[in-house]
Amino acid sequence: MNTDPLDIERGRDLLADARSVIILTGAGISAESGIPTFRGEEGLWRNFRAEELATPEAFARDPRLVWEWYDLRRQKVLECAPNAAHDRIAEWLTRNEGVVLATQNVDGLHERAWLDVGQVDGGRLLEIHGTLFRVRCTACGRESPHREPVDSSSPDTLPHCEACGGLLRPAVVWFGEALDPAIIGGAFEAAEGADVCVVVGTSAVVQPAASLATVTRETGGRIIEINPESTPLTPICDVSLRGTAVACVPALLSDI
Ligand code: BV8
Ligand code: ZN
């Protein structure tokens, strides 16, 4: 890791002058909480890649396999806690009305970190890919919180809708599915108006999320990237901090 203190200072200067900021996070911000990223070496499960399981086709084909994967991820997340990067971002959100957080993560760690320091402003915490801890009925569309363990040993033991008996699915956005227009619309509105976009822990591969940073750039804003590796966004970043979220986010955001 080589995060040059001068780069951190340059990032802090950009943020000190910013009236509005959007933060875009990906799986990398949760890595130091113990949650495997998608495209890292731990991203495989039983030799399946996320892109093969996180699809409506996979769920239609084998809802038990998909629910087994999601239940394992939920149990893993419930054993983990927000890290210092989640915590600093949560504190910053409570201190600055002009900051919006758009996360690709479905682990709920940003919400947990924010709840630890204050009242969550739902309009400024945009879980653009949904959350592991809500379900949606595949028949009637009802959504509800859900964190009980799921028994995927038979089709009958999978969770079913209390209202209509339909099979429940995780309320996350799968590949090939549209994002909630109100949520992603709010994120792009924030990105367009942002003076700075801070991108933390994403490989910037998945769309439309990765385009949030380019929209800030295209509308005259600046980009700060935090990632141990370079990404497709690196060439258009004003500041690239080659370090981990826990090493860089507190240094970047402290006392701003
Ligand atoms: C859409 C929820 C259109 C589920 C996720 C062909 C057919 C259909 C669509 C497409 C297609 N080709 C392309 C697309 C678009 C597709 C897409 O982008 N595909 C990719 C693979 C190319 N997008 C979609 O399908 C989207 N929908 O386009 O709909 C449409 C419109 C109208 C009507 C119908 C359809 C939906 C995309 C949402 C998919 N769902 N998650 C679940 O989680 O189970 S995406 C999934 O990937 C997660 O949300 C994850 O967050 C996200 C992105 O990955 P990253 O977060 O970046 O994680 P990754 O592992 O890749 O990278 C980690 C990074 O962290 C690395 O850079 C690493 O260096 C860094 N890191 C590691 N350690 C640390 C660290 N950084 C800091 N600190 C550390 N310690
Ligand atoms: Zn139902």
Side-chain angles (χ1 to χ4, degrees):
M1 308 295 171
N2 59 337
T3 41
D4 181 339
L6 283 181
D7 284 337
I8 296 215
E9 271 322 299
R10 284 175 53 232
R12 290 170 59 79
D13 289 344
L14 288 178
L15 291 173
D17 297 339
R19 280 168 301 100
S20 58
V21 176
I22 182 168
I23 307 171
L24 171 65
T25 65
I29 198 168
S30 297
E32 288 155 289
S33 292
I35 298 174
T37 63
F38 280 76
R39 287 163 195 83
E41 63 285 348
E42 296 178 319
L44 277 175
W45 177 69
R46 284 215 205 141
N47 289 327
F48 288 107
R49 301 218 55 79
E51 287 85 351
E52 295 171 277
L53 291 172
T55 70
E57 294 77 18
F59 189 75
R61 192 172 50 246
D62 192 343
R64 289 172 48 199
L65 176 74
V66 174
W67 257 120
E68 184 179 358
W69 180 51
Y70 276 95
D71 188 53
L72 276 175
R73 289 174 66 194
R74 278 173 161 188
Q75 302 319 315
K76 176 79 184 163
V77 167
L78 291 172
E79 291 161 11
C80 298
N83 60 51
H86 295 106
D87 294 342
R88 286 302 156 283
I89 287 172
E91 285 161 14
W92 203 40
L93 282 159
T94 50
R95 289 202 309 270
N96 292 274
E97 293 280 327
V99 181
V100 171
L101 168 62
T103 186
Q104 299 174 84
N105 301 340
V106 296
D107 58 31
L109 290 187
H110 280 301
E111 184 181 48
R112 280 169 57 184
W114 198 342
L115 285 170
D116 285 349
V117 293
Q119 184 74 24
V120 174
D121 172 355
R124 293 192 294 127
L125 167 55
L126 304 173
E127 293 178 313
I128 63 173
H129 291 158
T131 169
L132 288 173
F133 301 105
R134 288 182 68 78
V135 289
R136 183 166 66 242
C137 176
T138 55
C140 72
R142 263 180 187 77
E143 273 207 18
S144 54
H146 186 283
R147 55 183 54 225
E148 297 76 34
V150 169
D151 172 358
S152 54
S153 58
S154 94
D156 302 336
T157 56
L158 291 179
H160 285 80
C161 179
E162 282 170 10
C164 77
L167 178 61
L168 297 177
R169 56 164 280 183
V172 298
V173 181
W174 279 330
F175 289 100
E177 290 188 322
L179 283 67
D180 178 318
I183 296 175
I184 193 62
F188 273 105
E189 200 177 313
E192 280 160 19
D195 298 315
V196 179
C197 175
V198 183
V199 185
V200 188
T202 184
S203 59
V205 163
V206 171
Q207 294 297 350
S211 298
L212 290 168
T214 45
V215 159
T216 295
R217 176 90 183 168
E218 284 159 5
T219 49
R222 316 297 285 275
I223 305 179
I224 300 168
E225 179 181 53
I226 293 175
N227 196 319
E229 295 169 13
S230 63
T231 73
L233 288 177
T234 302
I236 62 167
C237 289
D238 297 271
V239 177
S240 277
L241 303 177
R242 277 289 157 270
T244 71
V246 167
C248 296
V249 169
L252 182 69
L253 299 188
S254 64
D255 309 324
I256 283 187

